[in-house]
Amino acid sequence: MGKLTTHVLDTAHGCPGAGIRVELYAIGADGRTLLKSALTNDDGRCAEALLEGAALLAGQYELVFHAGDYYAARGVDLPSPRFLDRIALGFGIADPAQNYHVPLVMTPWSYSTYRGS
């Protein structure tokens, strides 16, 4: 059985993104449905899988990372409105038997992601 996990790396400070609120949504014909909300730990990871086993279904999902709040709490001088505030990553799960790891690598001005396992 597969699982969905994530973690955040703050490349502006060269450290894991600790204490970032992450929301997971299922995307369907009726819009977005919040499935889970979590905070990243000191290693920038959520303490448990966001979805796993029978809860991991094929379909479209979105992860929303509250990056602006994280950088503001770190004392980073951000413009108003923030250039990057909430970073939304839309992705699909084709085979729920596989592991899907969706990391976020970010600064206050840029981000990237990739599919890990």
Side-chain angles (χ1 to χ4, degrees):
M1 292 188 166
K3 64 182 175 181
L4 171 63
T5 56
T6 190
H7 79 275
V8 182
L9 298 172
D10 174 359
T11 56
H13 294 98
C15 64
I20 298 174
R21 184 163 33 132
V22 179
E23 297 164 340
L24 172 65
Y25 293 89
I27 309 299
D30 297 332
R32 298 182 340 159
T33 302
L34 179 64
L35 299 179
K36 190 166 195 173
S37 182
L39 286 177
T40 58
N41 61 21
D42 289 344
D43 194 35
R45 300 176 184 277
C46 295
E48 58 188 40
L50 297 170
L51 292 174
E52 65 182 317
L56 183 64
L57 302 173
Q60 295 292 315
Y61 294 88
E62 183 178 77
L63 281 169
V64 178
F65 299 86
H66 291 250
D69 292 343
Y70 165 78
Y71 282 114
R74 288 196 62 123
V76 175
D77 186 21
L78 300 171
S80 181
R82 298 167 179 162
F83 180 69
L84 292 177
D85 190 26
R86 292 186 180 116
I87 298 172
L89 301 178
F91 61 96
I93 292 180
D95 182 357
Q98 294 185 17
N99 291 333
Y100 288 79
H101 183 66
V102 183
L104 176 68
V105 180
M106 67 176 197
T107 78
W109 312 107
S110 64
Y111 66 90
S112 65
T113 191
Y114 56 91
R115 182 186 168 191
S117 60

